[in-house]
Amino acid sequence: MSKLQFTKHDFNALPRRFRARLINSLSGFKSANLVGSADANKNMNLSMVSSVVHLGANPPLIGMVMRPRTTEKGEPVQRDTVANIEELGYYTINHVGANMLNAAHLTSASFPPDVCEFAATGLTPHWHSGFPAPAVAESPLQMGLRLVEIVPFKVNGTEFVIGEIEWVRFAEAAMKGDGYVAIEDLDTLAISGLDGYHSTRLINRLHYAEPDKAVAALPQEGAQDIEPAVDFSAFRENKARR
Amino acid sequence: MSKLQFTKHDFNALPRRFRARLINSLSGFKSANLVGSADANKNMNLSMVSSVVHLGANPPLIGMVMRPRTTEKGEPVQRDTVANIEELGYYTINHVGANMLNAAHLTSASFPPDVCEFAATGLTPHWHSGFPAPAVAESPLQMGLRLVEIVPFKVNGTEFVIGEIEWVRFAEAAMKGDGYVAIEDLDTLAISGLDGYHSTRLINRLHYAEPDKAVAALPQEGAQDIEPAVDFSAFRENKARR
């Protein structure tokens, strides 16, 4: 089968939309998340973000790329999500589940500034106790973050929003004994390119790799290296604690 | 079904490995890529990276998170990949295909500094014409990047490596008429958590979302908005051109 090869000179010569779809396909599968935010008047915003990445476990940090707040000509662009995050200092990240795909995708439409994406798409705000930004009730994994830093990237005006995870909630059935969350069992979706949505099928979890050892699959229940075992019942929602 | 809920106080109290697996599961599905690099003496390095993200299409930019070059106690850690990228200014990103999963995972083992991950895992270096860093011949989508900037994140010492795509090659069969690359057809994998590898199943590509319009699936061949159509034969590898 023949291979295609594009160089940077080819990229420049390609039609603009073609190039955008091509380049957006190259990074591999992406996370599908909705970012929930609000301004000081509780005007809510919800937007699809495909650039959420893990940044560290201790402290628990997540980063995401936000588009430039100016056009290529330098004119300002209204970016509600990052403006809200700056204003309030808090936001939520919500996995997009198979059950909510169309509504989640619809948040990417250009609604007038006074239209709330929750109302426009039929998704339900979930106000986590005392937390100032709305989560998405339909989402199978919801978390609340506190803004740590917004790092501007000079090269193209994008911004990297870094947040610390304050809380997370998801169905207990997905929790494995070693700490792994089976997000596939939560029906979390993956994205390819600008508009491709995928469900997944686990091939294997693999043992921590070691030199001169064959790669092996982990058992269904995960690695057996947590001692003593963690008692999940202590983390059940609505359970009175602490 | 009961929901679990963890807060930042819970994170601190969890066993270290459990916490690492939990937090690493939260960002959603991740891209599975091998980063190929070399030092000035052509000593090659290959490492699994799950944090590759799209940064922009024009210029074509990709970012990735690299782990800190010091321990939590401030002691230096040898990080061959980012050291090579700094030294040479070029590197490759290679999708992990289903055919090469175990070998790709094995690159994450702690090999002695003088061991080349290509040799240790059986993967084959592919030297793209004149490009100074090795790609992975077995990978279904390979690209070469020029380092643009390394941005340090103060909060935890991670670094964000930004590169511009110089070339990309993949099977023509995956190229759609509107610029979308069907990476699922290339058998590119997705990652969850620290060690979960998944194949995917396309649910739908969705039309660009518009207010007051129902979300609809794109046809198999993609959007029909590229005029005139792009002639892929001009981009076939080995074809004499320019």
Side-chain angles (χ1 to χ4, degrees), chain A residues 2 26 172 180 184 192 198, chain B residues 2 95 172 180 184 192 198:
Chain A
S2 66
L26 301 184
E172 183 171 350
Y180 175 84
E184 175 169 299
S192 69
H198 307 252
Chain B
S2 66
H95 284 199
E172 183 171 350
Y180 175 84
E184 176 169 298
S192 69
H198 308 252

Side-chain angles (χ1 to χ4, degrees), chain A residues 30-38 44-53 62-64 66 81 85 90-101 103-105 107 117-118 123-128 131-145 165 167-170 183 186-191 197, chain B residues 3 25-29:
Chain A
K30 316 184 223 198
S31 52
N33 284 293
L34 288 173
V35 174
S37 64
M44 298 183 289
N45 197 269
L46 194 59
S47 65
M48 181 76 100
V49 175
S50 64
S51 62
V52 166
V53 287
I62 282 192
M64 59 185 183
M66 300 270 102
T81 295
I85 291 174
Y90 292 91
Y91 55 106
T92 68
I93 294 180
N94 309 268
H95 283 199
V96 173
N99 62 312
M100 51 188 277
L101 168 56
H105 183 71
T107 63
E117 285 86 3
F118 280 101
L123 292 169
T124 315
H126 169 77
W127 293 95
H128 189 84
F131 196 76
V136 180
E138 289 82 358
S139 166
L141 187 150
Q142 309 154 21
M143 55 191 147
L145 294 98
I165 304 171
W167 55 267
V168 59
R169 64 194 288 265
F170 55 89
I183 61 173
L186 296 174
D187 286 335
T188 295
L189 300 181
I191 296 181
Y197 295 92
Chain B
K3 292 232 178 193
S25 300
L26 302 184
S27 54
F29 286 103

